[in-house]
Amino acid sequence: MKVKITGTGSCLPKLRVTNDDLGQIMETSDEWIRSRTGITARHIAVEETTTGMSTEAADKALKNAEISAEDVDIIIAATVSADKHLPGLACEVQKNIGAENAVAFDINAACSGFLFALDTAALYLEHGGYQHALVIGAETLSKMMDWTDRSTCVLFGDGAGAAFLTASEEGGILSQSVGSNGEKWEVLSCPKGGYLQMNGQEVFKFAVRTVPLCVEDALEKAGMKADDVDLFLLHQANVRILQSVAKRLKQPEEKFPMNMNECGNTSAASLPILMAQLDEQGRFHRGNKVVLSGFGAGLTWGATIIEW
Ligand code: UT7
């Protein structure tokens, strides 16, 4: 598929909450959270909204790609925590950035959402005759947390990230592998108007088993080996999951950049925030092979290989 990512952007809320801050208001500790998850802080939206952060991330991605909003053909937003039930987040962003010629809609695939949105946008570019797409992952999960449940609320954070995709003659998306298992929806869910609930150990076992298999499947489809990959960008849920996947794929941990230490688990926003931060640091070079992998509620999972 000939689609390139030519712009990225992200936005984090101003308020940074450390593990020690949480230790002041509940029975937890920096030691427990850090050793179990790799998280030391997260950003929590107070004044910020899912739409506002998405708009900022989208604006940055367009600026970064040096493209004007009128040239955007599609906007797909992945979120489970939009500010409104309707309209979709993507439509509000469309108005805010002035992308009057775009078609805009949302996708809910929980923590895999950005990856599914990216794949969907790429298919539109390849088969729909469109040229430019904006893909957003954004969450204010803090609003869905039970702040008396230490087993969940310490894990998550808020933020938004965006990637700008353009149809291209070369490189682009080399392969995809996606899957879901609705039988297991109860291990991670949030009822309407209620709080997020998770069976952490079940999700952990699922992630360490499924992510390597799906990355291997995507590699096989692209005719590649894990050694050919420059960077593995995994959903930022837990450092131990990333370490386990690195080990299973026989790859050095340095190839697995992380930001969960500063951002926590931001669900659909984690991959695009990480991508934008790495892009800003100049970590991507033309021709680099990058694996993106998301996994989470549904259960859902996926891996996409991109040539930068
Ligand atoms: O984005 C979607 C993907 N989500 C994930 O990938 C999450 C995957 N799961 C995990 O990352 C881990 O399962 C957790 C980090 C959520 C939990 O780690 P764990 O090693 O599985 O801990 P646990 O749930 O088995 O809890 C161990 C102990 C319990 O105490 P007892 O029963 O052994 O006395 C918990 O009550 O730790 C206790 N505990 C805490 N203690 C201090 C649970 N949460 C906390 C806390 N602070 N925040």
Side-chain angles (χ1 to χ4, degrees):
M1 193 176 302
K2 306 290 184 215
V3 174
K4 269 198 172 304
I5 294 177
T6 56
T8 58
S10 67
C11 174
L12 291 174
K14 279 197 220 57
L15 180 67
R16 178 175 179 270
V17 178
T18 65
N19 294 344
D20 285 330
D21 293 335
L22 293 178
Q24 307 278 321
I25 56 166
M26 67 186 75
E27 198 60 36
T28 190
S29 66
D30 176 54
E31 204 284 324
W32 191 96
I33 302 171
R34 217 158 15 89
S35 62
R36 289 287 212 293
T37 68
I39 298 166
T40 53
R42 73 287 292 141
H43 292 251
I44 300 292
V46 182
E47 313 246 299
E48 297 88 351
T49 60
T50 306
T51 306
M53 292 190 293
S54 301
T55 302
E56 188 174 326
D59 271 332
K60 285 181 183 165
L62 291 183
K63 214 170 264 157
N64 187 223
E66 298 177 353
I67 199 101
S68 73
E70 299 90 69
D71 293 328
V72 177
D73 301 310
I74 312 159
I75 305 171
I76 308 181
T79 185
V80 297
S81 51
D83 303 321
K84 302 181 179 70
H85 285 301
L86 58 137
L89 167 62
C91 291
E92 285 200 88
V93 173
Q94 174 184 22
K95 172 176 187 252
N96 292 348
I97 65 173
E100 58 202 36
N101 300 313
V103 54
F105 61 93
D106 290 4
I107 280 183
N108 174 348
C111 301
S112 311
F114 177 79
L115 197 83
F116 285 29
L118 184 78
D119 288 352
T120 306
L123 288 165
Y124 268 98
L125 295 193
E126 193 182 35
H127 299 295
Y130 295 103
Q131 284 294 308
H132 303 301
L134 196 52
V135 184
I136 297 163
E139 305 285 8
T140 44
L141 289 175
S142 59
K143 307 220 160 46
M144 292 158 56
M145 289 300 137
D146 175 355
W147 285 94
T148 64
D149 175 12
R150 64 178 184 173
S151 71
T152 52
C153 71
V154 304
L155 306 172
F156 295 94
D158 301 333
F164 181 78
L165 267 65
T166 188
S168 136
E169 290 302 314
E170 47 165 20
I173 292 182
L174 305 181
S175 70
Q176 295 138 316
S177 176
V178 285
S180 18
N181 179 6
E183 287 285 333
K184 293 269 183 176
W185 71 265
E186 276 169 301
V187 301
L188 179 47
S189 67
C190 181
K192 257 194 180 315
Y195 296 121
L196 181 141
Q197 302 152 358
M198 176 168 74
N199 180 333
Q201 293 193 359
E202 280 294 316
V203 178
F204 191 95
K205 277 189 267 173
F206 144 72
V208 297
R209 205 174 34 233
T210 310
V211 174
L213 293 176
C214 121
V215 170
E216 276 164 357
D217 185 44
L219 286 169
E220 197 182 317
K221 285 180 180 161
M224 287 169 57
K225 299 246 173 296
D227 288 345
D228 303 328
V229 176
D230 296 286
L231 288 173
F232 293 86
L233 274 53
L234 265 53
H235 169 49
Q236 300 288 295
N238 187 314
V239 66
R240 292 184 294 134
I241 294 176
L242 271 64
Q243 286 166 340
S244 166
V245 173
K247 204 164 157 201
R248 292 274 287 274
L249 294 172
K250 299 193 176 63
Q251 294 299 302
E253 276 175 40
E254 298 74 68
K255 281 192 181 183
F256 292 71
M258 295 182 204
N259 69 3
M260 88 270 285
N261 54 325
E262 267 301 310
C263 299
N265 178 345
T266 57
S267 187
S270 92
L271 282 175
I273 293 173
L274 180 64
M275 200 195 290
Q277 290 174 340
L278 294 170
D279 198 15
E280 211 175 351
Q281 294 161 18
R283 293 280 299 276
F284 300 119
H285 304 286
R286 200 183 161 88
N288 272 177
K289 308 285 193 300
V290 180
V291 169
L292 302 177
S293 179
F295 52 91
L299 297 168
T300 54
W301 60 90
T304 294
I305 305 180
I306 298 176
E307 184 176 321
W308 201 262

